[in-house]
Amino acid sequence: MCGIFGFYSQNEISDNYIDKLKEVTLKLSHRGPDSHGFYISKDKKIFLGHTRLSVIDLDKRNNQPFIENENILVFNGEIYNFKEIKKQYFKNELFKTTGDTEVLFKVLKNNLSLKILDGMFSFAFLKKNKLLIASDFFAEKNLYYHSNNKGVYFSSEPNNLVDFLGLKEDVNNQKKINQFIKYGFVNQPETLYKELKSLQPANILEIENGKIKLNYRYWKRKKVNINFKKNNYKVFLKNFHTTLISSIESRTVSDIDIGLLLSSGFDSTLIACILKKELNINFKALSIAYTNSNLDESPEIKKIAKFLNIDSIIINEKSTGFKSDLQKFNNINYNINDNLTLLSVLNLCSYAKKYFKVGLSGYGGDEILLGYNRYRILKHAL
């Protein structure tokens, strides 16, 4: 996970303001602690900042901003199929690096469709004086932006924009309140703040002269209707299993060791099984046991670890209570959301850096595999 921050001004940016922009960028260092870099255009109207987490091609040659002539890229995320893209579209070209950043750079430089990418990403790409900022197919790697009469700001996280620009909460907006009650979050592009937007899935903003010129979508999800009564359920299950294995395998491409954030749920347990049984990958599994809570999953986790014969690390921790957790959640999230599972993931990540740098998780997998009790009613509806 890296961090990107940028500002496209309508006027020349002062040296003092550039220093402030650098400070705001460095607030993303928890996302990318390995290196940081900045780009300021010759006319001092464009600032791009990046903090890097080194996962693929650890050499400093892969640090960002990635610059070649008048083309500049800052990128957060990972392109899983970068090797395939390299072979198919750039087999006769020389590369300076062995990572995915340069492959994405060449895709953008040559105006290839983003539809060929398989990955999670957000990026800003400068080509001459035109700046493109974009999100992946599902906006898994968020990108927040704010536009005013000074120019356009964007960041991987909302908090540094909110604090730096003094943005105000929009707590009395009835539409947003209704969305939160219905969904547990506010629909993109809206956020908790009046003048802060979240880039929607598969969207590109084209910025020129400090103003948003175009906002368009480069991909739309096709609707797929599956009738289990007419289709062979075993065939569907086999295809799902194959796709899942392939998906997990693509996410293990790394030049450093990987680990797994393991709970006793369907999601992370299934990933553990595939890593061990299907892909034959050795990994550390990290879990938290809340010893003073009835939510302690450690007995089940120990059974899973024993069955798979994996290296399991269980951190014993006492729950600090809902009020404390809620405050912690607000401090990191800066946006309205009722999914408190994020707190467990945050706690695990705070320990994980002692054991591994890249961690897989099943976060979101229970929605697909009907892992929560509330989904079991669907069994009777099918």
Side-chain angles (χ1 to χ4, degrees), residues 272-372:
C273 291
I274 290 174
L275 288 173
K276 185 70 175 181
K277 301 293 186 180
E278 301 286 352
L279 302 178
N280 196 29
I281 294 175
N282 292 318
F283 62 95
K284 286 185 173 70
L286 183 66
S287 312
I288 286 184
Y290 293 103
T291 54
N292 63 333
S293 168
N294 59 1
L295 299 177
D296 181 13
E297 300 178 41
S298 58
E300 290 79 11
I301 292 170
K302 290 176 181 177
K303 291 178 183 178
I304 295 166
K306 184 178 180 180
F307 174 74
L308 293 175
N309 190 27
I310 57 178
D311 186 359
S312 175
I313 303 163
I314 298 179
I315 306 296
N316 292 313
E317 185 177 281
K318 290 185 177 180
S319 174
T320 54
F322 178 76
K323 186 176 181 180
S324 174
D325 286 348
L326 189 61
Q327 183 59 50
K328 191 189 299 183
F329 182 79
N330 289 334
N331 289 342
I332 62 166
N333 202 46
Y334 265 70
N335 212 350
I336 191 166
N337 195 303
D338 71 347
N339 192 347
L340 297 180
T341 307
L342 178 62
L343 287 167
S344 295
V345 176
L346 175 69
N347 286 338
L348 274 169
C349 289
S350 67
Y351 291 109
K353 58 186 178 183
K354 299 176 184 177
Y355 303 100
F356 46 79
K357 200 173 183 180
V358 175
L360 301 179
S361 81
Y363 193 56
D366 276 321
E367 281 75 9
I368 297 174
L369 299 170
L370 310 183
Y372 296 122

Side-chain angles (χ1 to χ4, degrees), residues 80 119-121 135-142 188 201 251:
Y80 303 129
M120 52 177 184
F121 56 84
S135 60
D136 58 55
F137 300 123
F138 302 103
E140 185 176 353
K141 289 298 182 184
N142 291 326
Q188 294 168 316
R251 283 153 178 77

